[in-house]
Amino acid sequence: MNTLIYRVIKRLERYALGLATQRHSRKDLQKLGSDYGGWVIPTSLLSNSSVCYCVGVGEDISFEMALIDTFGCEVFAFDPTPKAVQFVHENARNVRRYHFNDVGLWSENRRMRFYEPRNPNHVSHSIVNLQGTSRFFEAQCRRLSSLMADLNHDKLDLLKLDIEGAEYEVLESILEDQVKTRILCVEFDQPTSILKVGRTLRKLTRTGYTLVSVDGWNCTFVRDNL
């Protein structure tokens, strides 16, 4: 794609997302975690009894640690990427209230291929092969509703999805299964697809989610009608 066109598309998308949040501002929004791995969330909606799922760990768990430190809640993290597994083992193996699972999230319970990034120093792999590479590893994936059933959770207070392009398919399955999630944090990849992002935003809005924060391509939604 022409570089100029790409820049225009990105500006249009950011402008549209910004307009969407202007009418739904909240006074309880706060960014937790590092500049790179942090997320803006409504802090008044979480407590020490909250259950948080963070899907996509990589090598930055500052957001997950901030959730535990700030609210004293249980955080369940999921990522099958070898570098992520090693990072958690070295940095958070004995952290109370932090529960790590080396599985991926998808719309089915099955093994999937995770394609590596072009830069070997990067950690994020992609089921949808965002960067068009040929090398991959395979790992077990779960549908969110199935994963929650195994962990005896009937609703979530927070769900973070940072899953390298798989968010569209996963969100479809979440809406199909009517999974109850109060706070939904999603990083949208493949930002050149305006229609894809727009369709997803409309589906979430119709389901009762309100877009309350946009931080780069990290979008935070709140659902009040649970």
Side-chain angles (χ1 to χ4, degrees):
M1 178 181 291
N2 180 280
T3 302
L4 179 58
I5 295 176
Y6 176 74
R7 288 177 179 172
V8 170
I9 288 175
K10 291 190 71 174
R11 287 180 180 177
L12 285 173
E13 286 184 294
R14 289 188 180 125
Y15 176 70
L17 291 174
L19 286 179
T21 62
Q22 286 179 8
R23 289 173 289 177
H24 305 291
S25 60
R26 298 179 61 109
K27 296 181 179 180
D28 60 346
L29 295 177
Q30 180 181 346
K31 185 167 185 176
L32 300 182
S34 67
D35 289 341
Y36 172 76
W39 289 79
V40 177
I41 62 169
T43 55
S44 68
L45 300 182
L46 297 177
S47 68
N48 60 1
S49 63
S50 297
V51 175
C52 303
Y53 279 23
C54 294
V55 188
V57 172
E59 294 177 312
D60 189 328
I61 56 174
S62 59
F63 177 63
E64 289 88 333
M65 295 300 104
L67 288 173
I68 294 172
D69 292 341
T70 304
F71 306 103
C73 59
E74 301 290 327
V75 174
F76 297 80
F78 308 89
D79 195 326
T81 310
K83 285 186 178 180
V85 174
Q86 181 180 352
F87 180 82
V88 171
H89 179 77
E90 294 174 351
N91 294 276
R93 178 174 47 178
N94 298 316
V95 176
R96 292 182 61 243
R97 300 189 181 90
Y98 183 70
H99 315 281
F100 179 74
N101 301 267
D102 59 349
V103 299
L105 196 64
W106 188 238
S107 57
E108 300 177 78
N109 296 330
R110 56 171 292 188
R111 290 185 67 82
M112 296 291 293
R113 293 179 175 182
F114 287 76
Y115 289 86
E116 68 179 17
R118 291 189 179 277
N119 188 332
N121 294 320
H122 293 172
V123 61
S124 299
H125 287 58
S126 170
I127 287 180
V128 299
N129 200 4
L130 275 180
Q131 299 185 31
T133 57
S134 58
R135 294 173 60 88
F136 61 86
F137 72 90
E138 292 189 355
Q140 184 63 37
C141 290
R142 304 295 304 278
R143 192 175 175 101
L144 180 61
S145 57
S146 175
L147 193 60
M148 289 172 61
D150 286 350
L151 294 171
N152 295 315
H153 296 138
D154 59 0
K155 65 181 180 65
L156 300 177
D157 296 284
L158 181 146
L159 171 64
K160 182 205 82 174
L161 299 177
D162 185 355
I163 48 180
E164 304 303 314
E167 61 273 7
Y168 301 101
E169 181 89 7
V170 168
L171 285 171
E172 287 283 353
S173 69
I174 290 172
L175 295 178
E176 287 176 7
D177 295 342
Q178 299 181 24
V179 174
K180 297 179 180 179
T181 302
R182 189 70 182 279
I183 303 170
L184 175 63
C185 301
V186 184
E187 181 194 41
F188 286 103
D189 286 290
Q190 297 176 319
T192 55
S193 178
I194 292 178
L195 293 178
K196 203 168 190 178
V197 174
R199 284 196 300 266
T200 302
L201 289 174
R202 286 194 295 273
K203 287 180 180 178
L204 290 171
T205 300
R206 287 197 298 266
T207 306
Y209 286 97
T210 299
L211 181 62
V212 298
S213 173
V214 178
D215 182 21
W217 283 105
N218 290 351
C219 296
T220 302
F221 303 85
V222 171
R223 185 172 178 181
D224 294 317
N225 59 343
L226 288 181

